[in-house]
DNA sequence: TGTGTTCTCGTAAACGTTTACGGGAAAACG
DNA sequence: CGTTTTCCCGTAAACGTTTACGAGAACACA
């Protein structure tokens, strides 16, 4: 306790109080509470009853120290630099799912955010070295990710939301199928008669930008359309980035009739640029967004987009992480699971 | 540690290792590291150097147990029931600020969410009773809030984002000035010639709904406009709620020429209902939203709204909480600070 | 009755810290 | 030189658990 609010704090009863109250040793009390076999059934009942009566709950610090496990998982979220008035709506439902599943295992969730753009490595090291968490969940994975290198070198358990080229196949990861989304987006546009299709994605070495582009290229090839480098651009992963980079693509000698944006904020900025050029999405040009957010739905025109199931993804990643921890999955069950989830196309008015 | 990843785990060096390496007692090492006065300057240097060399960081579980403080703060966020595809964009920036300031004090942030609509009390009790956190931050405060009653009765330190009628003035709280926003919204509308102004707010005993209404009523009174109960309605705090309740107000004998929505999601649903009735916000009716989100900006027409500074609010609430904790503010500095922050009006196209 | 087994429990160590206490050596002072 | 003070450090207890170990009692079995 940091504060002893004027003495009115209800004393936290310890296992010693319980033992004294029952005229029993603390060892027996602990065994009774933890459901061990070598305790008399009657004794166990008495202990349980007394625990309820005295409102006893085991002190987590004591347990952590003795067992060498904190029973908490750290979630590292690095906000992208840029306009942070509201941040990414992406993560609340993901966190909800992650947290819900962890709670079922009596695990706490610690959130470490770091300043936008700041080097997150120190924060991560602190968590690992001071043993503040038993495992880590990484978000915003980059193609080459220092955090992954560090964790796998240290042998510290972790899982990632998103893929990376770092660290090999030694950790669980869950990602969206950006290749397939890119592929399907092209498919859809081609079926509607487009052949000049632009792709706008974030720079920053964010891995999903590359994955998306792979799918985009693959689909073009399948349809016998040559990839035009002039139709591919990347920019800062926010509205300003989309606003800045979209005109560059539109002003090429042979402009596109469709644009796939790999990020909702960039799409919004792009549409603003288009509007200023007198180009109307849904009329003069087709626009598809790869990861849907509520903004896509309420924008005018409503943007066709691919939607993830964030909350189930959060729950699933928790399961995958737990399955890789011997303490939960059993010694033999230390399985590294990697999954890639499809997106659902939400057809709206922009394409 | 839960997992010992194949033995490659870098051994966490303890203070004993450090002491042995230096031929010094652990007491001295601890004192040196913690900057106590009674340690020779030369010894301190040697300890610090060795700590860096052996990559030593104190084990947090050990510290927590000994000091009776976990150095972590729990943030309790209860999602509103309803459409949870994306949750509330409100909280990410708030969390960012809260977390950033806490990190400066070497405090961790634990996030406890609870299922939407689920009774959050048990989760809270668990945190308190097992001493998993040193203090709690509550969000989504209700007019009468069980959690506040419980915490103040237990003498457990906490602060709230949002006001409540529970618990008296014994805890720090930070809230948005909903009264003033309601007042200003009416002011603005009256200045533009409106006299039939509706107010739509959430039910659920959420406190801010009442505060908003106070400001609304006060402003009407000031302008000599009688409050018409037929123009006041409440509904579920989501899009469906707004969609459902708005027609009820519009179909009254003497319909409003303006509506103030006390929640962005409800406003969106309300606008949908209006559209279906052939009523265009910004043309046929004026619409103002009390708490701005990105959705208001991108909606068509863009919605005039009052915007909070969420990230500074997060930082500020962390400061306020810390100031109320003797361990941080010093024994005399146990001050209970309560603040109410104004909103900034963002004029757009809907009014 | 003697021996082995089972059941139940108490004892004590251990996890990694911090800190109260005391003591020895050096320094200061008379 | 004796006494007091200061400086620095080691010792050990304490935080609240869990758990390895062993021991006593009850019981079974021959």
């Amino acid at each position: 306790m940091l504060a002893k609010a004027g003495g009115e704090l209800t004393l936290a009863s310890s296992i010693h109080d319980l033992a004294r109250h029952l005229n029993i040793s603390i060892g027996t009390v602990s065994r009774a509470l933890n459901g061990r076999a070598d305790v008399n059934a009657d004794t166990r009942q008495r202990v349980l009853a007394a625990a309820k009566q005295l409102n006893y709950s085991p002190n987590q610090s004591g347990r952590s120290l003795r067992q060498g496990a904190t029973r908490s998982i750290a979630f590292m979220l690095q906000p992208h630099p840029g306009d942070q008035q509201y941040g990414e709506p992406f993560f609340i439902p993901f966190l909800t799912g992650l947290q819900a599943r962890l709670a079922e295992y009596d695990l706490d969730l610690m959130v470490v955010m770091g300043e936008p753009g700041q080097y997150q490595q120190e924060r991560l090291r602190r968590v690992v070295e001071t043993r503040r968490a038993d495992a880590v969940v990484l978000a915003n994975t980059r193609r080459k990710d220092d955090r992954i290198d560090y964790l796998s070198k240290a042998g510290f358990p972790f899982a990632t939301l998103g893929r990376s080229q770092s660290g090999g196949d030694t950790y669980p990861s869950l990602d969206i199928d950006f290749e397939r989304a890119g592929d399907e987006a092209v498919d859809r546009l081609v079926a509607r008669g487009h052949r000049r299709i632009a792709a706008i994605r974030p720079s920053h070495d964010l891995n999903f930008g590359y994955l998306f582009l792979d799918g985009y290229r693959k689909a073009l090839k399948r349809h016998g359309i040559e990839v035009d480098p002039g139709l591919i651009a990347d920019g800062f992963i926010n509205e300003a980035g989309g606003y800045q980079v979209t005109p560059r693509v539109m002003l090429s000698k042979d402009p596109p009739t469709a644009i796939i944006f790999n990020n909702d904020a960039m799409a919004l900025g792009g549409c603003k640029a288009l509007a200023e050029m007198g180009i109307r999405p849904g009329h003069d040009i087709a626009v598809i967004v790869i990861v849907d957010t509520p903004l896509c739905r309420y924008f005018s025109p409503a943007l066709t987009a691919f939607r993830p199931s964030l909350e189930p993804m959060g729950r699933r990643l928790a399961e995958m992480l737990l399955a890789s921890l011997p303490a939960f999955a059993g010694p033999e069950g230390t399985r590294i699971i990697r999954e890639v989830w499809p997106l659902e196309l939400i057809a709206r008015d922009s394409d």
Side-chain angles (χ1 to χ4, degrees), chain A residues 28 31 36-40 44:
Chain A
T28 304
R31 281 189 299 264
R36 306 232 161 238
D38 57 347
V39 47
N40 184 289
R44 187 190 308 279

Side-chain angles (χ1 to χ4, degrees), chain A residues 198-212:
Chain A
I200 293 183
R201 63 179 184 128
S203 43
H204 270 67
D205 201 40
L206 286 162
N207 198 38
F208 66 84
Y210 293 88
L211 303 174
F212 156 67

Side-chain angles (χ1 to χ4, degrees), chain A residues 30-248:
Chain A
S30 177
R31 281 189 299 264
L33 291 173
N34 290 345
R36 306 232 161 238
D38 57 347
V39 47
N40 184 289
D42 176 58
T43 317
R44 187 190 308 279
Q45 290 312 319
R46 284 174 47 224
V47 171
L48 260 35
K52 185 168 294 179
Q53 183 197 337
L54 296 195
N55 198 23
Y56 167 79
S57 309
N59 179 300
Q60 181 58 33
S61 298
R63 299 188 107 184
S64 297
L65 179 57
R66 167 66 215 225
Q67 299 189 322
T70 61
R71 292 203 83 82
S72 87
I73 307 295
F75 177 68
M76 316 270 319
L77 173 55
Q78 179 144 32
H80 295 129
D83 165 55
Q84 283 308 116
Q85 181 60 32
Y86 277 96
E88 327 208 12
F90 200 93
F91 289 107
I92 286 281
F94 177 81
L95 264 183
T96 305
L98 184 67
Q99 187 271 169
R101 185 66 89 222
L102 292 179
E104 294 174 12
Y105 289 85
D106 195 43
L107 289 166
D108 289 322
L109 181 65
M110 209 175 99
V111 173
V112 182
M113 306 188 85
E115 299 294 315
Q118 171 201 318
Y119 198 53
Q120 211 181 13
Q121 199 77 348
E122 316 165 26
R123 301 289 306 272
L124 179 56
R125 292 180 66 98
R126 198 187 68 101
V127 169
V128 170
E129 292 175 1
T130 63
R131 291 304 189 268
R132 271 178 156 86
D134 297 331
V136 166
V137 174
L138 255 35
N140 293 324
T141 47
R142 314 228 154 182
R143 200 151 205 233
K144 174 91 179 57
D145 202 306
D146 294 343
R147 304 171 301 171
I148 295 180
D149 289 332
Y150 166 69
L151 288 171
S152 50
K153 197 167 300 175
F156 197 87
F158 69 102
T160 64
L161 173 61
R163 281 163 283 174
S164 167
Q165 293 185 347
S166 296
D169 284 346
T170 61
Y171 56 93
S173 78
L174 174 58
D175 200 1
I176 287 172
D177 197 338
F178 285 98
E179 299 96 318
R180 182 165 154 191
D183 190 314
E184 282 185 19
V186 169
D187 251 20
R188 176 177 169 93
L189 291 169
V190 169
R192 300 183 154 213
H194 297 275
R195 299 190 63 85
R196 302 282 304 161
I197 302 172
I200 293 183
R201 63 179 184 128
S203 43
H204 270 67
D205 201 40
L206 286 162
N207 198 38
F208 66 84
Y210 293 88
L211 303 174
F212 156 67
L213 219 51
D214 289 345
Y216 164 84
R217 287 209 184 90
K218 185 176 152 203
L220 284 185
K221 191 169 184 180
R222 190 173 60 245
H223 289 288
I225 302 175
E226 195 176 353
V227 175
D228 179 353
L231 294 186
I232 301 178
D234 54 57
F236 224 62
I237 184 170
N238 57 26
E239 202 177 323
Y243 179 77
Q244 185 186 7
V245 82
T246 301
R248 197 182 313 161

Side-chain angles (χ1 to χ4, degrees), chain A residues 7-51:
Chain A
E8 21 163 334
L9 181 69
T10 56
L11 280 328
S13 54
S14 84
I15 205 173
H16 289 94
D17 303 325
L18 210 49
R20 203 175 315 126
H21 179 258
L22 288 167
N23 257 345
I24 260 185
S25 80
I26 59 167
T28 304
V29 174
S30 177
R31 281 189 299 264
L33 291 173
N34 290 345
R36 306 232 161 238
D38 57 347
V39 47
N40 184 289
D42 176 58
T43 317
R44 187 190 308 279
Q45 290 312 319
R46 284 174 47 224
V47 171
L48 260 35

Side-chain angles (χ1 to χ4, degrees), chain A residues 245-252 254-256 259 274 277 279 285:
Chain A
V245 82
T246 301
R248 197 182 313 161
V249 160
M250 292 307 295
L251 296 177
S252 68
D254 191 1
I259 306 183
L274 290 175
M277 301 171 76
I279 305 173
I285 198 168

